[in-house]
Amino acid sequence: LMKKIQATDEKSLRKTKLVKFSIMPNVEICIYGGRKVAILSFEEKLGLIIESQKINTTLKGIFEMNWAML
């Protein structure tokens, strides 16, 4: 499924990088709005929204480091 999504990157004006499922389990982390982070586990039907500029900035930094290494 993700390879099909990745195949539409140019049309959707995005860039997708894939990692092995064993490295990154099926949990989604959304960093947005400068202050918010959402952590979602669809399998467990669990979600959490954190409002913190420091946590948002830290997770953005972690994302940027990992993105550069892929």
Side-chain angles (χ1 to χ4, degrees):
L1 173 65
M2 291 309 297
K3 290 201 183 245
K4 287 181 183 180
I5 291 171
Q6 188 179 38
T8 65
D9 276 3
E10 188 174 335
K11 179 182 173 187
S12 299
L13 303 175
R14 69 169 174 250
K15 185 169 185 176
T16 304
K17 296 184 182 185
L18 304 176
V19 296
K20 292 180 184 179
F21 181 78
S22 61
I23 296 171
M24 297 294 287
N26 195 15
V27 172
E28 184 172 327
I29 299 174
C30 303
I31 305 164
Y32 63 98
R35 292 190 47 81
K36 295 183 181 178
V37 175
I39 303 170
L40 308 163
S41 174
F42 296 107
E43 283 181 12
E44 299 171 316
K45 296 179 180 149
L46 177 67
L48 172 68
I49 296 177
I50 301 169
E51 265 193 74
S52 165
Q53 182 183 359
K54 290 183 187 241
I55 291 173
N56 179 288
T57 301
T58 299
L59 287 176
K60 277 183 188 175
I62 292 169
F63 172 83
E64 294 295 335
M65 284 189 310
N66 285 309
W67 184 266
M69 289 190 283
L70 288 174

